[in-house]
Amino acid sequence: MINLKIAIRHLLKEKFFVTVNLVGLTVAMAVALVIISFVGYHNSFDRHVEGFDRTYRINSRIDNGTFWLLPSLPLMWR
């Protein structure tokens, strides 16, 4: 019980540093959850296919006659 009183006293005394620490912890946990969700989503494709570890996915799009393999590598499509 004494430790709880000391913790509450510290929270009330050092409001700025406690707020900075809580905001930092909250942001770090949110970023970790987003990364875990992103990796889990991208690792969930094609698990039903035999040899899924050797399967690759290629994304492409065509804009105004330009063929894009990757967003930074445009190749002319004519």
Side-chain angles (χ1 to χ4, degrees):
M1 191 69 180
I2 293 175
N3 290 336
L4 182 62
K5 287 182 183 179
I6 293 172
I8 291 173
R9 202 176 302 147
H10 176 68
L11 289 174
L12 296 175
K13 183 179 176 186
E14 302 289 342
K15 291 179 184 176
F16 177 74
F17 293 110
V18 170
T19 304
V20 169
N21 285 333
L22 287 176
V23 168
L25 180 64
T26 304
V27 169
M29 290 179 72
V31 168
L33 286 174
V34 168
I35 290 172
I36 289 169
S37 298
F38 182 80
V39 170
Y41 174 74
H42 283 284
N43 284 337
S44 67
F45 288 102
D46 297 329
R47 294 287 180 179
H48 62 280
V49 177
E50 183 178 334
F52 68 88
D53 57 336
R54 297 185 312 261
T55 303
Y56 294 93
R57 183 178 53 184
I58 298 173
N59 295 332
S60 61
R61 69 177 193 205
I62 299 173
D63 290 331
N64 300 329
T66 304
F67 179 71
W68 297 72
L69 283 175
L70 296 172
S72 60
L73 299 174
L75 301 174
M76 293 308 293
W77 175 290
R78 295 186 189 218

